[in-house]
Amino acid sequence: MSTTSKRLRTLTAMGAIGTTVVLVLAGCGARAGDETAGSGTSAAPSCVDTSGDTIKLGFLNSLTGGMAISEKTVSNVLHMAADEINNGGGILGKKIAYVQEDGATDWPTFAEKTEKLLTQDCVAAIFGGWTSSSRKAVKPVVEKHNGLFFYPVQYEGLESSPNIYYTGATTNQQIIPAMDFLAGRGVKKLFLAGSDYVFPRTANAIIKLYAAKLGIQIVGEEYVPLDKDDWTSQVAKIVAAKPDFIFNTINGSSNVGFIKAYYDAGLTAKTTPIISVSIAEEEAPAMGHEVTGHYASWNYFQSLKTDTNPKFIESWKAYPNSSGVTSDPMEAAYISLYLYKALVEAAGSFDVDAVNAAAKKNPITFDAPEGKVTLDGDNHHISKPGHIGQINSNNQFDIAWASDKFIEPDPYLEGYDWFPADIRKQLVDAAG
């Protein structure tokens, strides 16, 4: 049994607040505005070579294992963005030469590949990851070597780092809008189903705190390891609990087993709908069962009507080995490479410290398919619109709710009175 698995099993017996604290304390580092990590003072001199007409970047995605169902598309769209940037002249006149690595849905492998990319391949930045476990494996390595990592997927928040840029949603941009949507629909009983690792457990701990504020009762909470797909006994508990909605924080191919068990138990979207934070346009048709009528909370959907989305969709459909559909995580990965380009050009340098200084001094924006996003130079997250979509018979999402403006990132939930100040303080202090 892995150390992570042991810790998660120990945490199962703890309350919601305790779970949040211990999980995050186990993985936190310095906040993005601090100088205690990634300042370059303890890192070996960078081996990045900027003397030629190319610049090396690393792409680190699970191309095998349980997360490949989602991460292959993220890898491919990074290739597309690199090709587009190269066709436009590159970054500071240098063409991108990318090194692709496979994280293999294995967190030690993510750490090992990060070390290789930074110290042997000498890349200027790394793009990829999906699960929070992969990000937390990468984090100490990029901080040790003062590298840069661009992370493209929604996550549980409660983190920032001078060496990571987060282009997916943090908690107040996805989880909180989803809970507000459920409360607005009159949901009173909610069941939590998640994969057994840091993101679902921490997210669900936050959900429980906010549910109490909203007057929503949590009638059950079940987890299955990320590499397992048998949800039979857990779904039986959902049937017995009779929730109004299921909040799904399952990731990867384990969702296929969950959906099978769900329908085998006689549940339907009309009687017990699901709202997910990891099933998007690519995953929906891969569930092995029709998922029409269920919901997802994301910041981008293919069905969004923005000025920039049609060209993105057209380019993606025409790209070699394209899945043919766009989704939030791959759009956030696409954003990440263009934001890196903007940062380097604002800095006039590929140097990490210069890039971070440019993030603080300059308004860094990008006309993304989801709309014009703005980088927060202090916490390294971006503003994002909130959307709830309902899956239709074409495995696309009809927009059921949209925020009236872009949501500013608040990864530590400092602007929410229902998040206990003492818990927040413990987390912030531990983050250094």
Side-chain angles (χ1 to χ4, degrees):
M1 183 184 300
S2 70
T3 302
T4 300
S5 296
K6 289 178 180 177
R7 183 170 71 244
L8 290 175
R9 280 162 173 75
T10 301
L11 289 166
T12 301
M14 301 178 67
I17 296 176
T19 301
T20 304
V21 173
V22 179
L23 275 173
V24 181
L25 293 187
C28 279
R31 300 181 72 177
D34 295 341
E35 304 298 332
T36 56
S39 62
T41 55
S42 60
S46 171
C47 64
V48 175
D49 183 6
T50 61
S51 64
D53 58 3
T54 63
I55 187 70
K56 280 187 178 181
L57 300 179
F59 297 162
L60 180 55
N61 316 98
S62 291
L63 306 179
T64 57
M67 289 307 303
I69 188 176
S70 298
E71 292 190 54
K72 283 182 178 179
T73 297
V74 170
S75 169
N76 206 29
V77 82
L78 285 169
H79 296 178
M80 185 179 89
D83 290 348
E84 288 180 357
I85 291 170
N86 284 344
N87 290 338
I91 304 175
L92 290 184
K94 299 181 187 298
K95 298 294 181 71
I96 296 169
Y98 52 79
V99 181
Q100 177 70 63
E101 289 290 354
D102 180 10
T105 318
D106 179 70
W107 324 138
T109 298
F110 268 89
E112 292 165 8
K113 296 295 186 180
T114 300
E115 185 87 23
K116 172 187 175 293
L117 287 166
L118 292 175
T119 63
Q120 296 179 36
D121 297 307
C122 299
V123 301
I126 301 171
F127 302 76
W130 184 294
T131 66
S132 286
S133 294
S134 67
R135 187 191 71 257
K136 287 187 178 295
V138 167
K139 185 172 181 288
V141 184
V142 292
E143 291 179 345
K144 172 186 174 184
H145 294 290
N146 197 28
L148 285 180
F149 182 60
F150 284 74
Y151 179 68
V153 185
Q154 49 77 21
Y155 81 115
E156 69 281 357
L158 302 173
E159 179 183 296
S160 59
S161 168
N163 300 90
I164 300 177
Y165 285 83
Y166 308 75
T167 57
T170 186
T171 316
N172 75 306
Q173 297 169 317
Q174 186 193 36
I175 297 289
I176 291 175
M179 290 297 290
D180 288 338
F181 171 75
L182 295 178
R185 290 179 61 90
V187 169
K188 294 300 181 185
K189 296 194 299 181
L190 186 64
F191 199 104
L192 309 179
S195 298
D196 195 9
Y197 75 105
V198 62
F199 162 63
R201 287 189 173 273
T202 307
N204 285 340
I206 293 169
I207 287 170
K208 286 186 281 190
L209 288 169
Y210 194 32
K213 169 83 171 182
L214 295 172
I216 297 175
Q217 180 186 3
I218 304 300
V219 295
E221 181 178 5
E222 289 293 325
Y223 299 90
V224 164
L226 196 60
D227 59 349
K228 305 297 181 184
D229 60 5
D230 185 359
W231 277 87
T232 306
S233 62
Q234 291 80 9
V235 169
K237 295 178 182 179
I238 296 175
V239 173
K242 298 180 179 179
D244 300 326
F245 247 88
I246 300 167
F247 203 118
N248 172 16
T249 53
I250 303 165
N251 257 305
S253 57
S254 185
N255 268 302
V256 177
F258 171 69
I259 294 298
K260 180 181 185 301
Y262 172 94
Y263 282 105
D264 285 350
L267 298 174
T268 71
K270 288 186 178 180
T271 61
T272 318
I274 301 167
I275 188 165
S276 301
V277 290
S278 64
I279 293 179
E281 289 87 345
E282 181 136 32
E283 290 81 11
M287 291 298 102
H289 201 293
E290 183 178 313
V291 286
T292 302
H294 293 297
Y295 296 84
S297 177
W298 290 108
N299 310 100
Y300 168 87
F301 288 108
Q302 182 171 321
S303 57
L304 285 186
K305 308 298 183 186
T306 67
D307 293 340
T308 46
N309 198 25
K311 183 179 184 301
F312 177 61
I313 295 169
E314 180 183 358
S315 297
W316 175 242
K317 286 184 175 181
Y319 196 71
N321 302 314
S322 166
S323 61
V325 295
T326 59
S327 66
D328 184 292
M330 56 89 74
E331 188 253 3
Y334 182 80
I335 289 173
S336 69
L337 206 56
Y338 275 96
L339 279 181
Y340 176 68
K341 178 179 185 293
L343 281 163
V344 169
E345 291 175 349
S349 170
F350 292 95
D351 177 76
V352 172
D353 294 334
V355 165
N356 284 341
K360 287 178 177 288
K361 294 177 183 177
N362 301 275
I364 305 296
T365 64
F366 175 59
D367 287 323
E370 68 190 58
K372 187 173 183 177
V373 299
T374 302
L375 175 68
D376 185 316
D378 290 319
N379 64 37
H380 288 190
H381 293 67
I382 63 175
S383 60
K384 302 183 79 69
H387 296 286
I388 308 295
Q390 185 174 28
I391 306 174
N392 61 34
S393 59
N394 295 319
N395 289 313
Q396 284 290 317
F397 289 80
D398 299 323
I399 306 301
W401 175 89
S403 61
D404 58 2
K405 60 182 179 179
F406 275 48
I407 304 169
E408 297 299 320
D410 184 359
Y412 290 89
L413 297 176
E414 292 169 320
Y416 296 86
D417 59 6
W418 50 265
F419 195 72
D422 57 334
I423 298 302
R424 184 182 304 115
K425 185 178 187 304
Q426 291 178 54
L427 294 170
V428 172
D429 288 348

